[in-house]
Amino acid sequence: MAIPFLVLALPLILSSPFLSSASDTLSKGSSLSVENANDVLISPSGTFTAGFFPVGKNAYCFAIWFNEPFCNNNCTVVWMANRDHPVNGKRSELSLLKSGNLILTDADPVTVWATDTVSETSVHLHLQDSGNLALQNLEGEVLWQSFDFPADTLLPLQLLAKDKQLVSSRSQSNYSSGFFKLYFDNDNVLRLLYDGPDTSSIYWPDPELLSWEAGRSTYNNSRTASFDSLGNFSSSDNFSFMSADYGMTIQRRLTIDFDGNLRLYSREDRKDKWTVSWQAMSEPCKIHGSCGPNSICNYVPSSGRKCSCLQGFKMKDVTDWSLGCEPEFNLSCSTSETTYLRLTHVEFYGTHQDTGAVKPGYLQIATGFRKFTYAELKKATRGFREEIGRGAGGIVYKGILCDHRVAAIKRLINEANQGEEEFQAEVNVIGKLNHMNLIEMWGYCAEGKQRLLVYKYMEHGSLAENLSSNTLDWEKRFSIALGTAKACFLCNECLEWVLHCDVKPQNILLDYDYQPKVSDFGLSHPLKRDSHEISRLSRIRGTRGYIAPEWVLNLPITSKIDVYSYGMVLLEIVTGKSPIADIEDRRLVSWVKEKIKEANDMDLMMEKIVDPKLAGKYDKTQMKFLLGWP
Ligand SMILES: *[C@@H]1O[C@H](CO)[C@@H](O)[C@H](O)[C@H]1NC(C)=O
Ligand SMILES: *[C@@H]1O[C@H](CO)[C@@H](O)[C@H](O)[C@H]1NC(C)=O
Ligand SMILES: *[C@@H]1O[C@H](CO)[C@@H](O)[C@H](O)[C@H]1NC(C)=O
Ligand SMILES: *[C@@H]1O[C@H](CO)[C@@H](O)[C@H](O)[C@H]1NC(C)=O
Ligand SMILES: *[C@@H]1O[C@H](CO)[C@@H](O)[C@H](O)[C@H]1NC(C)=O
Ligand SMILES: *[C@@H]1O[C@H](CO)[C@@H](O)[C@H](O)[C@H]1NC(C)=O
Ligand SMILES: *[C@@H]1O[C@H](CO)[C@@H](O)[C@H](O)[C@H]1NC(C)=O
């Protein structure tokens, strides 16, 4: 009779917090071994376990999971130290060194992960009942804690802070970093992003809505989010929700699942199944990338989401839809062998969609554009051969993409990450907007230290180049002045806009039709509409000759700085004189004022200042309009 009794008793012992060898604390100089199943930390009340967790054949990760009986390899993992670098099932160890550093070593022994902490006094590693693993000294001061480095799950009262993100697992059984992320964007809004191998795009909140339309606020830059054990979630961008079972004190976790959905789960007891008490996406097909490239997502409420390949394509990996489909044919760049296939009743993300109502000439691109590899761009530019422009931020080369489109490829100087801020600003501003008078960005490349931006090539170079040559007639100048104004003062048309901070003829490019396209947003700065003022700009931004006097006089910097720069460009278009080069020791503005004073009627005034290269061929009414004269 003894044997059945033992079998029954075993699970009780295994899940008991009072198991002799398991404790909630690891002290200095000791370690946990992958080879000893009892080498785990169990939180005081027994809710969580920390230890080596099997993630594959002879592959382990140091993890924290809900302490469940019989969960075997299918426990609810809430944190992992080394999800992308599993260690060997033999000789791997987690050690709290005498120096105060907590390290995870592989069999070799190679350190695959470390907290990089230092402490001369006593420290210990403690697994708390909240699920937080904390390295603390005797005074209780926290030197490091797992709550500061979330993986795919947030627990009650754990803060999702600035610069932190939740990253989904690769699949149901593969815990390594996947393609979906929850993070605070540069404009302080909490978002879900598909960050796949080829493209990346935001799918929550609905990318077709402006932040305020989605109920989000961009004003609070504290960028924090958390939820409590009752089921109340709130975030600093004013997003909040209550779980369906709000009010009950039960186990909860917020997880970005491998399918890209963000879900709040709850259960009363560890014997129960987790139930979903809130989720971000009710229509799974709106999660970008969940069926992978070249596939179609179809959702039928009764049977769930179904992925299928486009005609002529097959699944890349039959066990993993997120890798999508690949052609069963050999794709050629030659257009003569390529035809188009019409697909009905599908919505394609990755193209612009005119949302109609607001925003003339202004569309928000629903998704990211293309991520290029460095090799691709190197090939397109034939090894960065043909330089077509050069600035402080980098050098621009002409290139021809695989599909024959002609591109201007800007390679940023990114020594010591100095260009990183400019790169991010440019991708975030131009990448999200499409306006007929803004330069069209096709994609970017961020590989190691390499930072490149890919734009549509502009046949006629910059306004600066063309003004100094003799061929811009009045008609072209007038249309360039109007188009530039449309791009520079978009703030009238949309709710959030940026200060360009560097409006000048070098940054106004001309297409085959002499339509101006404003470019180079590397110095731009987001502007909050209501305040119309930006406070903490540390350095003067812009180019001598076009910089508003506010900078020099230390006055508040508002959207008017771009108005000033635009005004200088306008005078340059009219007079043909550059405020940098042509007017010796005198500002263009005072030169114009002087000339006007010398004349006594309006026609004469115009004659005095107009570019002599126009040989008197200009439209007086249009010129008056540009100068704001009655
Ligand atoms: C998990 O996915 C990663 C990334 O695709 C892959 O490198 C790794 O081999 C996978 N692990 C297992 C156990 O399948
Ligand atoms: C693991 O648990 C989940 C959720 O309870 C279940 O859907 C899945 O089938 C389980 N996987 C295995 C391998 O047991
Ligand atoms: C939910 O949490 C937020 C932020 O902590 C708080 O302001 C709000 O009052 C809470 N709501 C309820 C019903 O407790
Ligand atoms: C910003 O958000 C934090 C966290 O939600 C909150 O404590 C703080 O009061 C907010 N600040 C403002 C100015 O609303
Ligand atoms: C935040 O939301 C509340 C109610 O949902 C609203 O009254 C308040 O004005 C919002 N705050 C901001 C800054 O949008
Ligand atoms: C594609 O190209 C490969 C290598 O050139 C060749 O082996 C294969 O048969 C081609 N497939 C088709 C469908 O043409
Ligand atoms: C404008 O400048 C570009 C680049 O220098 C040049 O190729 C083009 O011919 C110019 N156009 C005119 C009309 O001068």
Side-chain angles (χ1 to χ4, degrees):
M1 292 311 285
I3 291 165
F5 179 71
L6 249 184
V7 169
L8 278 176
L10 199 59
L12 290 177
I13 292 170
L14 276 182
S15 62
S16 160
F18 307 109
L19 198 74
S20 59
S21 60
S23 126
D24 57 10
T25 303
L26 183 71
S27 47
K28 211 170 174 174
S30 43
S31 54
L32 300 174
S33 161
V34 71
E35 294 181 55
N36 185 352
N38 287 332
D39 269 8
V40 291
L41 301 180
I42 294 180
S43 69
S45 73
T47 310
F48 291 97
T49 304
F52 284 93
F53 186 85
V55 294
K57 203 162 170 257
N58 194 36
Y60 288 78
C61 287
F62 190 81
I64 300 171
W65 61 91
F66 276 96
N67 189 9
E68 298 152 80
F70 300 124
C71 69
N72 292 325
N73 299 353
N74 201 16
C75 312
T76 311
V77 172
V78 297
W79 182 79
M80 271 186 180
N82 57 321
R83 64 194 302 198
D84 293 315
H85 302 281
V87 292
N88 204 288
K90 290 257 181 293
R91 297 198 299 284
S92 299
E93 280 186 337
L94 181 85
S95 313
L96 182 50
L97 303 182
K98 289 252 174 354
S99 63
N101 197 5
L102 179 69
I103 63 165
L104 179 62
T105 49
D106 205 347
D108 286 342
V110 178
T111 303
V112 297
W113 176 86
T115 56
D116 295 324
T117 43
V118 178
S119 172
E120 295 185 351
T121 60
S122 175
V123 286
H124 62 271
L125 185 69
H126 178 56
L127 181 61
Q128 301 167 347
D129 271 330
S130 57
N132 188 21
L133 186 68
L135 193 60
Q136 288 169 292
N137 61 20
L138 280 184
E139 289 81 49
E141 193 191 333
V142 174
L143 305 182
W144 174 90
Q145 57 183 352
S146 63
F147 264 22
D148 288 341
F149 302 92
D152 65 352
T153 295
L154 212 61
L155 291 169
L157 303 184
Q158 178 179 3
L159 219 54
L160 181 71
K162 232 186 186 123
D163 306 324
K164 301 286 150 123
Q165 54 187 15
L166 298 187
V167 179
S168 66
S169 284
R170 196 59 192 73
S171 70
Q172 171 118 22
S173 56
N174 187 333
Y175 292 89
S176 67
S177 301
F179 301 136
F180 303 99
K181 293 180 175 164
L182 175 75
Y183 73 113
F184 280 100
D185 212 335
N186 290 347
D187 62 355
N188 303 320
V189 172
L190 186 66
R191 296 208 158 94
L192 286 172
L193 171 78
Y194 166 66
D195 192 7
D198 297 320
T199 61
S200 67
S201 59
I202 286 161
Y203 56 93
W204 181 84
D206 188 340
E208 286 182 22
L209 301 178
L210 293 172
S211 302
W212 65 269
E213 292 174 311
R216 307 301 187 89
S217 151
T218 55
Y219 299 97
N220 191 330
N221 64 6
S222 67
R223 299 189 193 169
T224 57
S226 66
F227 67 100
D228 61 23
S229 55
L230 296 176
N232 172 18
F233 178 99
S234 75
S235 146
S236 57
D237 68 353
N238 218 16
F239 171 71
S240 67
F241 69 81
M242 303 275 203
S243 68
D245 52 6
Y246 173 76
M248 293 159 76
T249 310
I250 49 180
Q251 290 186 347
R252 296 181 191 276
R253 65 185 166 97
L254 182 74
T255 303
I256 181 162
D257 285 316
F258 69 92
D259 66 0
N261 212 342
L262 179 70
R263 298 184 177 92
L264 186 74
Y265 290 91
S266 57
R267 65 177 183 185
E268 243 174 280
D269 192 85
R270 59 185 174 184
K271 291 193 295 289
D272 293 333
K273 273 213 161 84
W274 290 103
T275 56
V276 176
S277 52
W278 177 84
Q279 62 181 0
M281 307 291 294
S282 52
E283 293 169 75
C285 285
K286 294 214 162 165
I287 298 172
H288 293 174
S290 65
C291 284
N294 304 318
S295 67
I296 296 176
C297 179
N298 190 15
Y299 178 63
V300 182
S302 56
S303 53
R305 189 197 69 184
K306 197 169 162 284
C307 299
S308 57
C309 287
L310 289 174
Q311 189 185 327
F313 290 74
K314 63 174 192 324
M315 254 183 111
K316 208 164 179 177
D317 174 345
V318 289
T319 66
D320 188 356
W321 266 112
S322 65
L323 293 175
C325 309
E326 60 188 3
E328 287 176 308
F329 52 91
N330 288 328
L331 191 62
S332 102
C333 254
S334 139
T335 42
S336 61
E337 295 169 28
T338 317
T339 59
Y340 290 93
L341 188 69
R342 179 182 291 274
L343 296 174
T344 49
H345 310 296
V346 299
E347 235 178 280
F348 183 62
Y349 82 84
T351 54
H352 335 143
Q353 288 167 349
D354 194 346
T355 51
V358 206
K359 298 193 276 180
Y362 164 90
L363 317 164
Q364 182 149 21
I365 296 174
T367 71
F369 28 118
R370 237 196 96 202
K371 201 153 127 185
F372 290 89
T373 65
Y374 183 69
E376 253 177 307
L377 298 184
K378 193 171 167 188
K379 188 171 166 219
T381 56
R382 291 177 300 137
F384 301 102
R385 230 183 268 177
E386 193 179 337
E387 182 177 326
I388 51 172
R390 183 181 276 260
I395 302 173
V396 187
Y397 301 89
K398 189 172 177 178
I400 297 175
L401 302 177
C402 160
D403 57 9
H404 302 305
R405 287 185 301 172
V406 186
I409 299 172
K410 183 170 169 185
R411 191 178 180 186
L412 297 177
I413 297 159
N414 200 27
E415 276 163 32
N417 286 338
Q418 272 181 351
E420 195 62 23
E421 198 186 329
E422 276 84 355
F423 176 76
Q424 295 290 346
E426 185 91 9
V427 171
N428 280 310
V429 173
I430 302 297
K432 283 179 187 163
L433 291 169
N434 183 15
H435 184 282
M436 59 179 290
N437 295 116
L438 285 184
I439 189 82
E440 194 177 321
M441 191 190 275
W442 288 337
Y444 64 96
C445 163
E447 232 177 75
K449 276 210 159 85
Q450 301 290 352
R451 296 288 180 276
L452 299 103
L453 299 161
V454 182
Y455 306 93
K456 183 175 179 178
Y457 177 75
M458 288 293 126
E459 281 82 354
H460 284 115
S462 71
L463 174 61
E465 288 167 303
N466 283 262
L467 269 181
S468 60
S469 73
N470 202 5
T471 39
L472 278 187
D473 62 17
W474 175 258
E475 200 188 332
K476 287 192 184 96
R477 292 186 196 211
F478 184 70
S479 111
I480 291 167
L482 292 191
T484 305
K486 282 184 197 158
C488 285
F489 307 114
L490 275 171
C491 41
N492 294 327
E493 296 172 12
C494 56
L495 285 156
E496 291 166 275
W497 186 231
V498 288
L499 294 181
H500 182 283
C501 293
D502 202 15
V503 178
K504 59 178 176 180
Q506 286 79 6
N507 287 340
I508 298 165
L509 304 180
L510 304 175
D511 71 4
Y512 67 96
D513 208 15
Y514 288 93
Q515 275 302 312
K517 311 271 182 179
V518 175
S519 73
D520 211 335
F521 281 71
L523 297 180
S524 66
H525 195 275
L527 179 73
K528 290 169 185 168
R529 186 176 174 77
D530 281 355
S531 67
H532 273 282
E533 185 175 316
I534 41 176
S535 43
R536 284 166 279 109
L537 270 188
S538 50
R539 61 195 159 100
I540 292 191
R541 294 169 187 229
T543 302
R544 195 170 57 88
Y546 303 89
I547 293 179
E550 285 95 313
W551 289 110
V552 186
L553 302 176
N554 218 0
L555 294 171
I557 299 305
T558 68
S559 53
K560 286 184 186 148
I561 63 162
D562 279 349
V563 178
Y564 182 90
S565 308
Y566 174 73
M568 295 307 291
V569 171
L570 210 53
L571 287 184
E572 196 167 340
I573 289 175
V574 169
T575 65
K577 293 187 166 40
S578 148
I580 309 171
D582 294 341
I583 313 275
E584 279 169 28
D585 292 318
R586 264 188 295 182
R587 296 181 72 94
L588 183 55
V589 176
S590 30
W591 181 86
V592 169
K593 277 187 185 158
E594 225 168 86
K595 292 287 158 193
I596 291 172
K597 228 184 277 168
E598 286 169 14
N600 46 21
D601 77 51
M602 214 173 281
D603 281 5
L604 199 54
M605 283 180 196
M606 288 193 269
E607 224 167 273
K608 289 249 176 197
I609 64 168
V610 77
D611 188 350
K613 289 201 281 299
L614 288 171
K617 289 193 197 121
Y618 59 96
D619 183 317
K620 287 187 173 140
T621 316
Q622 288 179 346
M623 180 145 154
K624 279 188 211 162
F625 174 78
L626 286 187
L627 295 172
W629 291 352

